[in-house]
Amino acid sequence: MTLDDDEKCPLCVQSIEASELDWILCNLCLVWYHCKCADLTKEETDRISEYHCLKCQGTKHAGPSVMKRKSKRHQPKVDYVALNDGDEVRFINKHPHISHFEQFQNDRPIHDLIYVVRPNDHKTRKTNGIINDDIMNEIINETQLTKPILLPSANPHINTDPELRRVYQLDFKFPKDLTVSEVVELVGKDTAVEVMDVLTQENSSWTMLKWRDYYNTDPNSRDRIRNVISLEVSDSVLEKLIQIPRFVKDIDIVDCLWSSSVFQDHLNSHAINVTKPKVTKYCLMSVENSFTDFHIDFGGTSVYYTVLRGRKTFILYPPTKQNLKSYEQWCNMPDQNKVWFGSLVKPQTKPVFPSSYNNNGIKIEVMPGDLLILPSGWIHAVFTPEDSLVIGGNFLSYLNIPTHLLIYDIEYKTKVPEKYKFPSFNKLIWLVGYFILKGLESGKWSSYETQQSLLTFYQAQLSILTTKSTDKSTTRIKSIIKNSIPCKLIGNVEIFLDEFQDSLKCLKKDRPEEPKLKRIKMNN
């Protein structure tokens, strides 16, 4: 309440601005106080049902102020942004698609849909139940990283069970007891961060200080549901507290290239300038009811993902030919934000091959301490049931190069802006081909499928370069391709492709004939 200036506040020790002349009445002594003098914010004042001043609080029968009874349910607030845009009435507390998350049910137990790493796995018999990086490498190579991998309670900082500490002997490091306020101190208060408005799925630039104040606000007082999913921390103090899992680094194309002295010597001797992409250390901070609509991570990258606080729920679909076609169609819809992608996925009722069963989608809940490995190209949406803090990162896997190239093509067709693509993707892919052709890698990368997909990619890019067109979009992509081909290293592009094709022919000639797949039935 605002009173006249001639009213006196017993606590006044300084002049009060006119805009701050808000008062509150002590319900016991009936004395009025400036809210500012009583050290009460507007939010705190609004929550008080019966105010007791400091003097009255000290009496025998009074005690502290009585607060309003807080509803366990959020009051629905109209999304006026949608109304101004001519959209239908909706509320800011909950994205309409969250109901799909709540209704979604896995049609099989989760361990039948993904690879859940367990101490009693047949692979750990030789290690007495210990799950180490060598065991993880075996699992990844066996699955070829084509299905999600979940390591329950893998983070020892969060799960202090002595038995779990004994079981997991993995080489990684994540921060302990990290809060959003600590993140702000570690990365800098003035650091810019992209903040997503959950209902519109659009980003705006904030400072970390502004984000901290928003995140720490009472949930009922937040103006809208907002989400931070793209804070890369490689240039901050926080980076030193994160060590990427070793089994991830073992298959990460970028890490393998930059840790190779031979490869670096080739770059230096040919004066090739390429900056190492910084995409492996992200901090994700989401408030309750945050929702990220379906997407594929840039360049079809795989993801490692561990929850430090709160929890996350994923719904995922595999990158089958039909699913990717539906995804491309969905991305080009003018009303994409209103369409649930899952409604476009053709249900599979009678699977023939085990891997195809995932086409009905998978729902995974990731709890504090869990470590999730999300494969290349999987289409996924994410819901946050409670305020959460996550550390994760993206990586290009040499096991999934064909998928990376396929997703890059979809990004081109759906007109994804360059700033949202994997950094220096084109240049990296040409460098990978040079790495393989010159025999600078151990042979793990040079499968027939990988080389065939690379050759097709190179030929497509060369075709674009030789196309005579004045179209602006074609001119732009020609410029990007031309600037990304490391000609100083590979030499003449046509000769390089001829050599690559000859190498592929030799590989095909020596390739053992693959056994024909038998059609099998799965028990329901």
Side-chain angles (χ1 to χ4, degrees):
M1 179 178 179
T2 302
L3 300 183
D4 294 334
D5 291 346
D6 57 356
E7 292 288 343
K8 301 297 181 183
C9 166
L11 299 178
C12 267
V13 293
Q14 59 183 355
S15 62
I16 304 296
E17 297 290 336
S19 61
E20 297 174 330
L21 281 175
D22 290 326
W23 298 75
I24 190 167
L25 174 68
C26 175
N27 294 86
L28 298 178
C29 65
L30 303 181
V31 174
W32 288 92
Y33 294 88
H34 285 134
C35 295
K36 183 173 183 180
C37 295
D39 199 24
L40 293 172
T41 65
K42 185 179 186 309
E43 182 182 315
E44 290 169 330
T45 304
D46 291 342
R47 296 207 310 263
I48 293 174
S49 174
E50 182 178 306
Y51 176 62
H52 300 169
C53 68
L54 289 176
K55 182 178 178 181
C56 291
Q57 285 183 30
T59 60
K60 184 175 181 181
H61 301 292
S65 301
V66 178
M67 310 305 289
K68 293 177 182 177
R69 187 171 182 180
K70 188 176 178 181
S71 173
K72 293 183 179 180
R73 296 185 298 174
H74 289 189
Q75 289 293 107
K77 300 177 183 178
V78 174
D79 177 16
Y80 291 103
V81 172
L83 286 178
N84 289 337
D85 290 341
D87 210 339
E88 68 271 9
V89 176
R90 60 186 185 186
F91 303 105
I92 67 169
N93 302 89
K94 217 171 185 181
H95 193 285
H97 288 344
I98 291 175
S99 61
H100 293 288
F101 266 87
E102 296 168 341
Q103 296 167 12
F104 189 98
Q105 297 279 335
N106 286 325
D107 49 12
R108 285 202 162 195
I110 191 65
H111 58 264
D112 285 346
L113 297 171
I114 69 173
Y115 197 112
V116 181
V117 180
R118 301 182 185 280
N120 58 359
D121 189 285
H122 68 282
K123 291 187 177 301
T124 62
R125 289 173 186 167
K126 56 187 175 185
T127 58
N128 295 320
I130 300 299
I131 300 168
N132 56 29
D133 289 289
D134 291 336
I135 293 297
M136 287 304 303
N137 283 334
E138 283 189 32
I139 292 172
I140 287 171
N141 284 305
E142 180 183 280
T143 62
Q144 290 292 290
L145 208 58
T146 55
K147 61 164 60 177
I149 300 175
L150 181 67
L151 292 83
S153 306
N155 189 340
H157 286 330
I158 297 174
N159 299 283
T160 56
D161 187 330
E163 183 61 23
L164 288 176
R165 286 180 177 270
R166 186 192 74 83
V167 166
Y168 287 110
Q169 295 182 11
L170 297 167
D171 187 8
F172 64 73
K173 182 176 72 173
F174 298 117
K176 183 179 182 180
D177 301 326
L178 190 66
T179 66
V180 169
S181 296
E182 289 169 335
V183 171
V184 173
E185 295 300 321
L186 292 168
V187 304
K189 296 178 181 179
D190 295 327
T191 299
V193 59
E194 292 261 301
V195 177
M196 176 191 286
D197 182 321
V198 166
L199 283 178
T200 64
Q201 296 288 290
E202 294 179 354
N203 291 331
S204 57
S205 183
W206 285 19
T207 64
M208 283 299 298
L209 184 60
K210 182 178 179 180
W211 169 254
R212 180 202 68 185
D213 292 344
Y214 165 82
Y215 187 96
N216 291 334
T217 299
D218 180 271
N220 283 319
S221 300
R222 291 169 180 157
D223 61 333
R224 298 177 70 80
I225 305 300
R226 304 182 191 274
N227 195 5
V228 168
I229 60 174
S230 59
L231 178 65
E232 220 286 336
V233 299
S234 290
D235 293 323
S236 70
V237 179
L238 179 55
E239 186 270 342
K240 296 178 175 60
L241 304 179
I242 302 170
Q243 181 181 323
I244 302 166
R246 196 192 89 190
F247 63 83
V248 167
K249 295 174 71 173
D250 286 344
I251 59 172
D252 180 2
I253 289 175
V254 172
D255 194 82
C256 290
L257 292 179
W258 262 261
S259 61
S260 168
S261 58
V262 175
F263 178 74
Q264 293 304 315
D265 288 343
H266 277 254
L267 290 186
N268 294 333
S269 63
H270 292 83
I272 302 298
N273 181 27
V274 56
T275 303
K276 182 179 181 179
K278 296 176 180 179
V279 297
T280 56
K281 294 183 178 181
Y282 283 97
C283 181
L284 294 76
M285 298 164 283
S286 309
V287 300
E288 178 185 352
N289 282 331
S290 287
F291 167 77
T292 307
D293 213 339
F294 282 96
H295 63 285
I296 300 174
D297 281 74
F298 53 12
T301 46
S302 298
V303 177
Y304 77 87
Y305 194 94
T306 187
V307 175
L308 302 184
R309 293 179 180 272
R311 55 197 170 97
K312 292 279 189 175
T313 305
F314 287 73
I315 292 180
L316 317 99
Y317 292 93
T320 63
K321 184 177 180 180
Q322 183 59 48
N323 286 352
L324 291 177
K325 183 179 180 181
S326 297
Y327 177 75
E328 188 177 329
Q329 172 193 351
W330 178 73
C331 286
N332 289 320
M333 287 182 173
D335 57 347
Q336 177 191 19
N337 198 29
K338 299 179 184 178
V339 179
W340 174 250
F341 170 74
S343 65
L344 304 179
V345 176
K346 184 179 180 181
Q348 198 140 19
T349 55
K350 294 182 179 181
V352 178
F353 297 99
S355 60
S356 67
Y357 202 85
N358 292 338
N359 204 56
N360 288 346
I362 304 171
K363 186 176 185 178
I364 303 176
E365 187 165 41
V366 186
M367 305 298 290
D370 291 352
L371 181 59
L372 175 68
I373 307 299
L374 186 62
S376 170
W378 278 59
I379 308 161
H380 59 286
V382 190
F383 170 57
T384 307
E386 59 189 76
D387 290 4
S388 68
L389 180 60
V390 169
I391 296 294
N394 297 71
F395 60 99
L396 294 168
S397 166
Y398 65 73
L399 295 169
N400 306 121
I401 288 176
T403 305
H404 294 317
L405 300 179
L406 187 60
I407 301 307
Y408 182 81
D409 185 55
I410 291 176
E411 290 175 343
Y412 171 69
K413 292 177 180 177
T414 55
K415 297 180 172 58
V416 173
E418 287 299 315
K419 69 175 183 176
Y420 295 124
K421 293 182 180 179
F422 191 94
S424 303
F425 183 88
N426 260 35
K427 185 172 285 189
L428 280 170
I429 294 302
W430 283 92
L431 292 174
V432 166
Y434 176 84
F435 206 58
I436 292 173
L437 186 60
K438 298 302 179 181
L440 300 179
E441 49 85 43
S442 61
K444 293 185 293 185
W445 301 20
S446 49
S447 69
Y448 180 81
E449 290 77 10
T450 293
Q451 291 196 39
Q452 178 63 68
S453 64
L454 286 170
L455 179 62
T456 302
F457 180 81
Y458 300 149
Q459 290 171 335
Q461 295 217 322
L462 182 59
S463 176
I464 292 173
L465 285 178
T466 55
T467 298
K468 293 182 179 180
S469 173
T470 56
D471 178 70
K472 286 185 178 180
S473 61
T474 304
T475 302
R476 183 179 61 85
I477 193 64
K478 285 173 72 172
S479 176
I480 292 171
I481 294 172
K482 186 176 180 180
N483 293 329
S484 64
I485 299 177
C487 293
K488 292 180 181 178
L489 184 67
I490 69 172
N492 181 277
V493 177
E494 288 86 352
I495 294 175
F496 174 81
L497 292 190
D498 287 342
E499 292 177 355
F500 203 92
Q501 191 162 24
D502 290 342
S503 173
L504 186 61
K505 288 178 181 178
C506 292
L507 187 62
K508 184 176 183 180
K509 183 178 179 181
D510 297 336
R511 189 183 185 202
E513 186 177 347
E514 293 183 352
K516 293 182 179 180
L517 293 173
K518 294 182 178 180
R519 296 172 69 85
I520 58 175
K521 293 183 179 180
M522 295 181 66
N523 295 324
N524 293 324

